[in-house]
Amino acid sequence: MQRRSLIALAALACAAVTAHAQAPDWKKIRIGVEGAYPPFSEVDKDGKLKGFEIEYAQALCAEMKAECTLVQQDFDGLIPALQARKVDAIIASMSITEERKKAIAFSKAYYNTPARFAAKADAKLDISPAGLKGKKIGVQRATIHEKFAADTFKQSEIVRYATQDQAFLDLKSGRIDATVADMVAIDMGFLKTDAGKGFAFTGPSFDDVKYFGVGSGVGMRKADEKALGKKFNDAIDALRANGTFKKLNDKYFAYDISPKK
């Protein structure tokens, strides 16, 4: 009986150690980023990641006192990488939508901006399903903008790209008639660059929660939401309170990208 008790106690102790080992303390976090979505994230001429979300991710990690590794990944591969445990979190302008929440968990929103169309400044496009009938609309694959365009502009040809920069290149060359994307990405990543000369926003802003959610949040596995989600939410609140978010906002943008309250 005593031997059995000792064995049972040893088994319990082993299980406790195993459970403890399997429970991350989140002192080290691998964050999936895109690196092809200026000014939020991009790769500079020296091959280094830069941009608003890159600095913001680093600030969150500093606040959490965590050692973070940024893992560059194509946008449409970020959720699969998260589910395959190749990364622990996603910071890549990923909008919090009901559809995505079926697969992963999110922190609270850390920024929110509307979608807009861009086209040649003299194109005079009517941004409506009838007005864009037969037109080619460029979108980044696996984004909320792809879903919005496909559902709304059914009589248009939706042309899908791995990155938004590829859509800008085809817009510049005339292979597509317009592109729809995040307003800031279009403004800072195209219109205010040399490549964007002769192009402009066209039509209204779009912010339907059905497609665009309530803003961009940190994505994570549902199993990690309680512990890791709290760390990110506390850090997001802290960066807002101590002025770090505003400092980064003002460094990159001429307008406030804070999420709606």
Side-chain angles (χ1 to χ4, degrees):
M1 179 68 76
Q2 185 179 8
R3 183 171 179 272
R4 287 192 176 187
S5 298
L6 289 172
I7 291 172
L9 286 171
L12 286 171
C14 182
V17 169
T18 301
H20 178 74
Q22 291 176 341
D25 59 9
W26 299 119
K27 294 297 183 183
K28 294 185 177 181
I29 305 172
R30 297 163 301 167
I31 299 177
V33 298
E34 184 180 4
Y37 200 62
F40 294 100
S41 70
E42 59 184 308
V43 178
D44 67 18
K45 62 182 180 180
D46 297 320
K48 295 181 179 179
L49 287 161
K50 67 176 185 177
F52 169 80
E53 282 185 306
I54 302 304
E55 290 197 52
Y56 186 68
Q58 292 166 340
L60 287 174
C61 292
E63 182 64 33
M64 294 187 293
K65 295 179 174 57
E67 179 185 334
C68 292
T69 302
L70 301 185
V71 181
Q72 190 180 355
Q73 175 82 49
D74 286 347
F75 187 84
D76 58 358
L78 283 168
I79 290 179
L82 179 69
Q83 293 170 329
R85 308 190 76 83
K86 293 179 180 178
V87 298
D88 304 304
I90 297 169
I91 298 181
S93 293
M94 188 164 282
S95 297
I96 305 166
T97 65
E98 291 304 315
E99 184 175 353
R100 285 184 177 139
K101 284 165 67 176
K102 293 175 183 177
I104 65 173
F106 283 96
S107 71
K108 60 178 60 178
Y110 57 86
Y111 90 83
N112 189 24
T113 49
R116 291 201 70 180
F117 276 82
K120 285 185 177 180
D122 58 359
K124 298 180 181 179
L125 293 179
D126 171 16
I127 305 300
S128 69
L132 294 181
K133 180 180 179 180
K135 302 292 186 182
K136 293 182 178 180
I137 302 172
V139 295
Q140 184 177 4
R141 192 167 55 238
T143 63
I144 53 176
H145 307 101
E146 178 191 12
K147 174 70 172 171
F148 167 69
D151 284 0
T152 308
F153 302 93
K154 296 182 181 295
Q155 299 181 82
S156 303
E157 181 181 344
I158 308 303
V159 184
R160 296 163 173 84
Y161 298 90
T163 70
Q164 185 58 43
D165 278 348
Q166 291 173 356
F168 291 147
L169 285 172
D170 272 9
L171 181 63
K172 177 75 173 177
S173 67
R175 295 189 184 95
I176 58 176
D177 299 291
T179 185
V180 59
D182 180 89
M183 177 192 77
V184 176
I186 291 177
D187 186 30
M188 305 292 290
F190 182 61
L191 297 182
K192 289 184 176 176
T193 69
D194 290 340
K197 290 179 180 178
F199 293 83
F201 284 122
T202 182
S205 297
F206 297 93
D207 60 1
D208 186 343
V209 172
K210 175 183 176 182
Y211 293 107
F212 303 107
V214 295
S216 293
V218 181
M220 67 200 81
R221 290 180 289 273
K222 289 188 176 185
D224 299 329
E225 181 178 11
K226 185 174 181 180
L228 186 57
K230 184 178 188 308
K231 283 183 174 290
F232 274 115
N233 284 337
D234 288 348
I236 288 168
D237 287 341
L239 296 191
R240 289 295 299 275
N242 66 22
T244 300
F245 178 88
K246 186 178 187 308
K247 181 179 179 180
L248 290 175
N249 185 118
D250 294 349
K251 175 179 177 178
Y252 285 94
F253 314 113
Y255 28 77
D256 184 10
I257 65 167
S258 299
K260 298 175 182 176
K261 295 182 179 180

